[in-house]
């Protein structure tokens, strides 16, 4: 029942996303199509935070680094190396994943706040490198480029210069990435990541290679962030070091937490909500980040699984037979001798 | 005399100035239920920690069924067929009981497929069902492990260790925190398990140890004080003096 509701909502949202270009056009709200495209790209970025934090239990404040690598890979590939559309996309991905593989090998030796700090440090280092390597990156100005065609067959040319084509390109890439994330989360590998998140000592004792699992998660997350960066470069036709700054990473963390860390679609929900809030509120009230900060704090305290957690709890309430609910969930057999102490095997800092 | 399954040679582990294991040399033969006893702080848990790779020893070697496992990472030792429960109970809190067992069963096969759906691993699911039955945790199958009672977590600990299909099971005070009925049931389970898997159990409940064990090793102050059949240990003067006499003061579960 619950799965059916979830599936129906998902299909409805997908259908809306597919008809969005025509829908928005008929409502004369074309500029919202670009906002929608941006929301899609940033929810892919938030998915990267979620893979690490929500599933592998590693809070990264450095995902913007890989986003930036993807951006510069595409922009430099097109503007400086004269690459076509697909090779530039390939370069962006290769640079992002390569950086993640190297940075990850060092970073995942650490956990908790040490991990968070080193990810910030990495992204700061590359931020300053990108700012100072002016001949390559354009420094403060960034690198802009003109859009090469995606597909050319004779006279026919497909290019992101067409707003609708661009939107559908972004929608399909982000959709495919989320499908991949779905597969990963439902796989044995995904479960292994969750086990590492829950209890790394126990995970290693059952035969899981904790270091390797964390490293692969870091690389996959780097790939997701990189892909988002590639898309964003193509979307804006430029790359800039400002997107490598940890402020951007922090936004990804906020979106993920508010939407629901460790849930498949939490990052989409969080990103969509906060970008719309930003669009609507930022020119009315310049201090709106205070509100966002407050919401994050409340979420962390009262709803660790974010908005998706609320949604799931709501569906549980609605679909569970009332009898079960009255009994308070699990039917426990009363057993006199068992101490009702809650054991929490917390042996970590 | 059969070849030992576990050979510990000259094993030393220090914590700063404290010598927790002092040149311990011990052989454990297969097909016998071994127990390790000794007062709090004797080094029993440290011995398990060092054998399983959770702690690096300062010197000495450990061989498991002929393979030198000294300095090996815990996950590699686990995949060789050595599994353990932890004295400080430690499970995957936000995962359900079934998921706890599932990941343990799957991990031991080394297949961490990144895309295939979990429902496609039929053998793992069968194994989970068998262990739920064995540990009598079926009724709690879909309960998050973090909300279990103390005794149920202790059972889940054993279940997780078993799910990895070990050939040697190390149990560190497995019945600690269980009531009398649960204890009796668990002791029977351990006895039954010992028919198919080698077991070394650390336990401070003397009646349980003397009822269960075929062979007892007594540790004190990082060393081995005595070894032998339960009767021999019960009559050993040094053991009585160092340990059994002061048994009553020792009921506090230690860390
Ligand atoms: N990780 C550790 N760091 C420092 N000291 C430790 C550590 N683990 C155990 N010890 C010390 O080593 C000694 C042996 O402890 P332990 O092996 O837990 O004893 P037992 O399990 O026999 O009660 C104790 O004095 C204990 O305080
Ligand atoms: Mg101990």
């Amino acid at each position: 029942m619950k799965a059916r509701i979830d599936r129906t909502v998902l299909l409805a949202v997908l259908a809306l996303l597919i008809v969005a270009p025509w829908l928005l056009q008929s409502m004369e709200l074309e500029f919202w199509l670009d906002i929608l495209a941006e929301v899609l790209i940033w929810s892919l970025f938030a998915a990267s935070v979620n893979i690490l934090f929500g599933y592998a239990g590693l809070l990264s404040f450095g995902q913007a680094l890989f986003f930036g690598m993807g951006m510069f890979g595409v922009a430099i590939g097109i503007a400086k190396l004269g690459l076509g559309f697909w090779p530039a996309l390939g370069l962006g991905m290769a640079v992002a994943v390569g950086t993640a593989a190297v940075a990850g090998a060092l970073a995942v030796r650490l956990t908790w706040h040490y991990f968070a700090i080193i990810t910030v440090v990495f992204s700061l280092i590359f931020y300053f490198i990108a700012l100072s390597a002016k001949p390559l990156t354009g420094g403060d100005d960034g690198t802009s480029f003109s859009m090469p065609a995606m597909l050319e067959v004779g006279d026919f040319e497909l290019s992101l210069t067409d707003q609708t084509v661009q939107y559908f390109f972004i929608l399909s890439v982000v959709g495919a990435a989320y499908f991949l994330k779905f597969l990963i989360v439902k796989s044995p590998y995904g479960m292994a990541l969750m086990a590492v998140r829950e209890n790394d000592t126990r995970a290693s004792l059952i035969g899981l290679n904790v270091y390797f699992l964390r490293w692969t998660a870091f690389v996959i997350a780097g790939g997701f962030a990189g892909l988002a960066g590639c898309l964003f470069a193509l979307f804006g036709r430029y790359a800039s070091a400002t997107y490598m700054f940890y402020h951007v990473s922090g936004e990804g963390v906020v979106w993920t937490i508010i939407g629901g860390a460790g849930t498949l679609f939490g990052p989409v929900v969080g990103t969509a909500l906060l970008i719309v809030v930003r669009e609507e509120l930022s020119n009315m009230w310049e201090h709106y980040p205070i509100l966002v900060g407050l919401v994050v704090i409340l979420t962390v305290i009262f709803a660790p699984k974010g908005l998706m957690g609320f949604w799931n709890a709501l569906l549980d309430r609605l679909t569970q037979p009332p009898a079960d609910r009255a009994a308070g969930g699990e039917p426990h057999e009363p057993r006199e001798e068992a101490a009702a102490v809650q054991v929490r095997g917390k042996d970590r800092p | 005399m059969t070849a030992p399954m576990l050979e510990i040679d000259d094993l030393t582990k220090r914590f700063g100035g404290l010598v927790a294991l002092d040149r311990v040399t011990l052989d454990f033969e297969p097909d016998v239920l071994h127990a390790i006893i000794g007062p709090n702080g004797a080094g029993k848990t440290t011995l398990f920690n060092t054998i399983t790779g959770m702690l690096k020893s300062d010197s000495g070697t450990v061989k498991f069924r002929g393979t030198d496992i000294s300095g090996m990472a815990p996950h590699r030792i686990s995949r060789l067929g050595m599994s353990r429960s932890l004295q400080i109970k430690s499970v995957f809190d936000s995962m359900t009981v079934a998921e706890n067992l599932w990941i343990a069963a799957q991990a031991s096969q080394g297949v961490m497929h990144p895309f295939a759906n979990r429902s496609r691993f039929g053998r793992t699911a069968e194994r989970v069902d068998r262990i739920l039955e064995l540990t009598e945790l079926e009724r709690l199958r879909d309960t998050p492990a973090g909300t279990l009672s103390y005794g149920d977590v202790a059972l889940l600990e054993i279940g997780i260790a078993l799910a990895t299909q070990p050939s040697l099971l190390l149990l560190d005070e497995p019945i600690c925190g269980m009531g009398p009925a649960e204890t009796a049931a668990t002791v029977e389970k351990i006895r039954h398990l010992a028919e198919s898997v080698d077991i070394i159990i650390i336990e401070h409940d003397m009646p349980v140890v003397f009822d269960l064990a075929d062979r007892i090793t007594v540790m004190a102050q990082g060393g081995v004080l005595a070894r032998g059949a339960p009767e021999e240990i019960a009559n050993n003067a040094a053991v009585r003096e160092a340990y059994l006499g002061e048994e009553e003061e020792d009921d506090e579960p230690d860390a």
Side-chain angles (χ1 to χ4, degrees):
Chain A
M1 179 63 186
K2 178 162 178 270
R4 239 187 27 234
I5 297 177
D6 273 334
R7 198 161 342 122
T8 311
V9 171
L10 179 62
L11 286 178
V13 171
L14 256 180
L16 273 179
L17 285 173
I18 289 170
V19 301
W22 298 284
L23 199 65
L24 291 171
Q25 198 176 30
S26 71
M27 291 156 71
E28 295 185 1
L29 289 169
E30 280 97 338
F31 76 98
W32 273 94
L33 193 63
D34 279 346
I35 295 178
L36 202 53
E38 234 187 288
V39 167
L40 287 170
I41 295 172
W42 287 114
S43 30
L44 179 55
F45 177 66
S48 156
V49 173
N50 190 34
I51 289 169
L52 275 179
F53 180 54
Y55 293 100
L58 294 168
L59 181 54
S60 166
F61 280 100
Q63 291 314 98
L65 165 56
F66 312 111
F67 186 89
M69 286 293 172
M71 267 189 116
F72 275 117
V74 166
I76 292 173
I78 294 172
K80 302 269 157 70
L81 306 176
L83 296 182
F85 183 89
W86 296 105
L89 193 60
L91 179 67
M93 284 308 288
V95 175
V97 171
T99 318
V102 176
L106 299 168
V108 301
R109 295 193 177 279
L110 307 172
T111 49
W112 299 99
H113 44 287
Y114 298 107
F115 173 82
I117 290 166
I118 199 165
T119 55
V120 174
V121 171
F122 278 145
S123 72
L124 272 180
I125 291 173
F126 278 94
Y127 170 71
F128 286 116
I129 291 178
L131 274 189
S132 53
K134 214 168 165 64
L136 188 64
T137 62
D140 279 328
D141 303 328
T143 305
S144 19
F145 57 90
S146 55
M147 182 64 68
M150 202 161 80
L151 183 74
E152 263 179 309
V153 187
D155 274 348
F156 176 77
E157 190 190 284
L158 202 58
S159 158
L160 298 196
T161 44
D162 180 322
Q163 196 198 21
T164 312
V165 172
Q166 172 167 279
Y167 172 77
F168 278 112
F169 175 70
I170 292 171
L171 179 61
S172 25
V173 172
V174 173
Y178 263 86
F179 182 64
L180 189 70
K181 185 181 164 206
F182 165 78
L183 292 181
I184 291 174
V185 167
K186 296 289 173 200
S187 73
Y189 170 80
M191 178 78 93
L193 283 188
M194 289 180 242
V196 168
R197 173 193 72 195
E198 289 298 302
N199 188 335
D200 51 1
T201 306
R202 172 50 80 192
S204 68
L205 285 175
I206 60 173
L208 295 175
N209 186 341
V210 172
Y211 175 79
F212 182 73
L213 284 164
R214 283 189 174 136
W215 179 75
T216 51
F218 197 92
V219 175
I220 293 170
F224 272 63
L227 186 58
C230 291
L231 289 181
F232 201 63
L234 292 169
F235 178 76
R237 280 90 162 139
Y238 97 122
S240 154
T242 45
Y243 289 99
M244 275 190 179
F245 203 57
Y246 64 80
H247 175 230
V248 175
S249 307
E251 276 196 301
V253 173
V254 167
W255 296 330
T256 301
I257 289 177
I258 289 184
T263 64
L264 183 61
F265 289 113
V268 186
V269 174
T271 307
L273 183 76
L274 284 177
I275 287 186
V276 170
V277 166
R278 181 168 71 193
E279 288 300 319
E280 294 296 321
L281 269 189
S282 61
N283 34 19
M284 271 190 265
W285 185 40
E286 59 175 322
H287 298 300
Y288 90 98
I290 296 176
L291 184 74
V292 174
L294 202 69
V295 173
V296 172
I297 291 168
L298 291 177
T299 311
V300 170
I301 296 172
F302 295 109
K305 289 265 168 193
L307 291 170
M308 283 309 281
F310 269 132
W311 169 254
N312 286 329
L314 186 74
L315 282 194
D316 279 342
R317 275 192 83 81
L318 291 178
T319 54
Q320 224 179 50
D324 271 19
R325 239 191 296 151
E330 294 302 323
H332 266 274
E333 283 168 31
R335 286 179 310 149
E336 358 89 55
E337 81 280 4
V341 191
Q342 298 232 328
V343 194
R344 319 239 349 147
K346 287 276 179 287
D347 54 352
R348 36 189 199 217
Chain B
M1 179 89 200
T2 38
M5 46 129 183
L6 188 66
E7 297 166 74
I8 298 164
D9 190 30
D10 210 20
L11 197 67
T12 297
K13 175 70 200 171
R14 290 186 207 92
F15 296 110
L18 179 88
V19 187
L21 294 178
D22 189 5
R23 309 194 60 173
V24 171
T25 300
L26 277 172
D27 284 351
F28 292 92
E29 64 269 37
D31 308 321
V32 169
L33 209 163
H34 296 272
I36 301 176
I37 62 172
N40 277 341
K44 307 179 296 293
T45 298
T46 304
L47 182 67
F48 274 12
N49 286 346
T50 319
I51 295 172
T52 53
M54 283 172 68
L55 289 175
K56 291 243 180 306
S57 62
D58 293 302
S59 63
T61 57
V62 181
K63 272 193 189 165
F64 176 49
R65 301 197 195 284
T67 309
D68 187 347
I69 59 167
S70 336
M72 218 182 244
H75 68 270
R76 290 189 55 209
I77 296 176
S78 168
R79 289 200 191 169
L80 289 176
M82 187 193 294
S83 186
R84 73 174 286 190
S85 72
L86 291 166
Q87 180 177 0
I88 301 173
K89 306 293 174 258
S90 150
V91 296
F92 305 116
D93 279 351
S94 77
M95 288 158 57
T96 66
V97 167
E99 286 170 340
N100 269 265
L101 298 172
W102 195 94
I103 191 60
Q106 185 71 15
S108 64
Q109 299 171 22
V111 191
M112 285 298 136
H113 198 300
F115 305 120
N117 196 282
R118 289 198 282 275
S119 59
R120 278 177 37 194
F121 297 81
R123 252 191 304 151
T124 308
E126 276 168 33
R127 189 153 185 85
V128 169
D129 287 340
R130 218 166 338 128
I131 291 181
L132 282 173
E133 199 180 321
L134 194 85
T135 52
E136 288 168 42
L137 287 170
E138 252 158 353
R139 70 208 150 81
L140 298 171
R141 164 178 208 121
D142 296 319
T143 308
T147 64
L148 296 179
S149 73
Y150 203 106
D152 288 331
V153 175
L155 279 175
L156 181 57
E157 272 272 336
I158 300 174
I160 291 173
L162 275 177
T164 65
Q165 289 182 276
S167 66
L168 170 61
L169 185 58
L170 306 176
L171 299 172
D172 197 346
E173 306 203 7
I175 60 169
C176 171
M178 288 186 186
E182 269 175 318
T183 298
T186 306
V187 166
E188 273 331 294
K189 268 169 217 150
I190 293 172
R191 203 195 306 281
H192 174 70
L193 280 174
E195 288 164 18
S196 53
V197 43
D198 288 326
I199 293 180
I200 305 175
I201 177 173
I202 294 175
E203 188 47 66
H204 72 259
D205 185 324
M206 285 308 127
V208 165
V209 168
F210 282 87
D211 172 33
L212 203 52
D214 301 312
R215 220 169 134 67
I216 297 178
T217 302
V218 186
M219 288 185 69
Q221 294 177 338
V224 178
L225 191 65
R227 298 196 85 185
E231 319 74 77
E232 294 172 63
I233 295 300
N235 298 323
N236 182 309
V239 175
R240 294 181 78 94
E241 189 178 329
Y243 181 51
L244 293 177
E246 48 183 74
E247 182 197 336
E248 301 311 318
E249 301 163 27
D250 202 49
D251 273 346
E252 212 54 34
D254 55 334

